[in-house]
Amino acid sequence: MLEQAFSDIYTKFKIHFYQEMFRQTHAREMSLSSTEIFCVEVIHALDKPTVNEFANFIQVSAPNAAYKVNSLIRKGYIEKVQSEQDKREYHLCVTDKYYEYFNLSQNYVAEVTKRAEEHFSTEEIKVFEKMLEEISDKLMPEVQIPALDLATAKACPTKKEE
């Protein structure tokens, strides 16, 4: 029963994201493949990874990852930003264009969260939040991503004009 409940919720979030993605695709010209969409979502979740960190996470070769990254850069969804600490290193950063087209799932998460807060008591929400944190932090070791505060996440800093 718990497994089915998890599966149902995960499927609904995923399907809602796909619905919004296709709706956005029809509303505006978008030239990303499904693989590119997933890649830019991973880059966002990893919070400014290097190309090698991205390649390792999705378990592809560095040249294969670089090819995907270069395509996303050409299309304007990510940028390479030079590291402040090590000038030889570049981090992948999503752009405003990413947020315009793909920050679709977060709006739905916020909507469902608001409904839950209206439906359940404060105590029930606290217990549920603690359970979700425990599941994320302790029961899902296969997926290690940085804690990303989506409320404060922002696009790459705009490039300085030369």
Side-chain angles (χ1 to χ4, degrees), residues 79-92:
E79 292 178 358
K80 283 185 180 179
V81 176
Q82 191 172 35
S83 171
E84 294 287 323
Q85 291 77 27
D86 183 348
K87 299 294 184 190
R88 299 168 297 173
E89 188 172 78
Y90 287 83
H91 293 269
L92 305 175

Side-chain angles (χ1 to χ4, degrees), residues 12 146 151:
K12 286 182 177 184

Side-chain angles (χ1 to χ4, degrees), residues 92-139:
L92 305 175
C93 185
V94 297
T95 63
D96 285 331
K97 188 173 183 179
Y98 164 82
Y99 285 109
E100 289 170 19
Y101 287 98
F102 292 105
N103 206 9
L104 308 170
S105 59
Q106 190 55 38
N107 292 336
Y108 189 57
V109 169
E111 185 176 323
V112 172
T113 300
K114 182 178 177 224
R115 290 175 186 163
E117 289 172 338
E118 292 168 354
H119 184 79
F120 297 105
S121 71
T122 303
E123 189 58 37
E124 288 172 314
I125 292 295
K126 286 180 182 175
V127 170
F128 185 54
E129 184 176 25
K130 184 174 180 352
M131 291 172 67
L132 289 174
E133 288 170 357
E134 292 281 320
I135 290 168
S136 179
D137 295 345
K138 296 185 175 128
L139 305 180

Side-chain angles (χ1 to χ4, degrees), residues 16-131:
H16 184 271
F17 171 73
Y18 298 153
Q19 285 176 318
E20 287 298 307
M21 186 179 69
F22 286 118
R23 188 178 64 75
Q24 292 284 342
T25 301
H26 294 321
R28 300 177 184 144
E29 268 311 300
M30 183 174 60
S31 59
L32 293 182
S33 69
S34 302
T35 301
E36 288 171 327
I37 291 168
F38 296 139
C39 287
V40 75
E41 286 283 320
V42 167
I43 290 166
H44 179 252
L46 292 176
D47 195 23
K48 301 176 185 73
T50 63
V51 174
N52 282 335
E53 290 167 341
F54 170 63
N56 289 336
F57 188 84
I58 64 170
Q59 300 178 356
V60 300
S61 68
N64 190 344
Y67 176 80
K68 293 174 187 332
V69 163
N70 288 333
S71 177
L72 291 168
I73 290 171
R74 270 193 315 278
K75 294 177 181 183
Y77 290 93
I78 63 171
E79 292 178 358
K80 283 185 180 179
V81 176
Q82 191 172 35
S83 171
E84 294 287 323
Q85 291 77 27
D86 183 348
K87 299 294 184 190
R88 299 168 297 173
E89 188 172 78
Y90 287 83
H91 293 269
L92 305 175
C93 185
V94 297
T95 63
D96 285 331
K97 188 173 183 179
Y98 164 82
Y99 285 109
E100 289 170 19
Y101 287 98
F102 292 105
N103 206 9
L104 308 170
S105 59
Q106 190 55 38
N107 292 336
Y108 189 57
V109 169
E111 185 176 323
V112 172
T113 300
K114 182 178 177 224
R115 290 175 186 163
E117 289 172 338
E118 292 168 354
H119 184 79
F120 297 105
S121 71
T122 303
E123 189 58 37
E124 288 172 314
I125 292 295
K126 286 180 182 175
V127 170
F128 185 54
E129 184 176 25
K130 184 174 180 352
M131 291 172 67

